[in-house]
Amino acid sequence: AFYNKHQEPVHKNIFYIDREQDGVAVEVALQYVDDITPRLSAFANNIYNPEHGTHVTGFKTALTRTLNAYGRSANILKESEENFTGDDALEGITAVVSVKMPEIQFEGQTKGKLGSVEAQGAVATVFGTAFAAFLEENPDDAKAIVNKVLLALKARKAAKAAKDSVLRK
């Protein structure tokens, strides 16, 4: 909520999970706001990772997959429409992804990017399962989130159509 104090939230309940999977402690919090910029902070063993890494890859994969699955099952994302992309799913998100693990590997000397492969699977599993449950248990929040992402998809397609039309002329 602190990160979003100057933003208008799209949904009421902030998603939060803190669970361990295969020796990796996974903690994720997220909220969508009425903005297009994604704000994503990543940490590994309390070290800030400005270049993200495997934990964020796992998060993005699960986020996109879960939103597509929910959008389809709730019939918000129609059969005729294409799936959300990762960029659609990230539009307007504020999220913190944190992992704690005994054996940790970073890419480069600055510890700016997490390289530990097991973090990807642990985050994808823990976050994906919990976020799917959150969407099921909070239908109003789920609808608001999926509609926000759907708007991003429609804007992306409209921008592409406009670009194509300019290029044809």
Side-chain angles (χ1 to χ4, degrees), residues 27-83:
E27 195 174 2
V28 178
L30 74 80
Q31 183 178 39
Y32 280 86
V33 295
D34 194 14
D35 185 25
I36 59 169
T37 311
R39 293 172 186 79
L40 198 52
S41 301
F43 299 86
N45 289 5
N46 293 332
I47 298 165
Y48 177 58
N49 314 126
E51 297 164 46
H52 299 158
T54 53
H55 48 344
V56 174
T57 305
F59 168 77
K60 288 178 177 178
T61 304
L63 178 71
T64 309
R65 188 188 315 125
T66 306
L67 287 171
N68 275 311
Y70 185 87
R72 296 267 181 228
S73 71
N75 211 21
I76 300 170
L77 192 56
K78 305 290 180 231
E79 272 187 34
S80 59
E81 288 172 312
E82 62 186 73
N83 271 346

Side-chain angles (χ1 to χ4, degrees), residues 154-169:
K154 288 178 174 167
R156 174 174 54 82
K157 288 175 75 170
K160 186 187 181 321
K163 182 180 175 187
D164 291 348
S165 135
V166 168
L167 291 174
R168 273 196 302 274
K169 287 186 173 125

Side-chain angles (χ1 to χ4, degrees), residues 136-153:
E136 291 296 335
E137 291 159 18
N138 299 279
D140 292 348
D141 292 337
K143 195 176 293 170
I145 291 169
V146 175
N147 280 321
K148 164 93 176 121
V149 178
L150 185 59
L151 198 63
L153 176 140

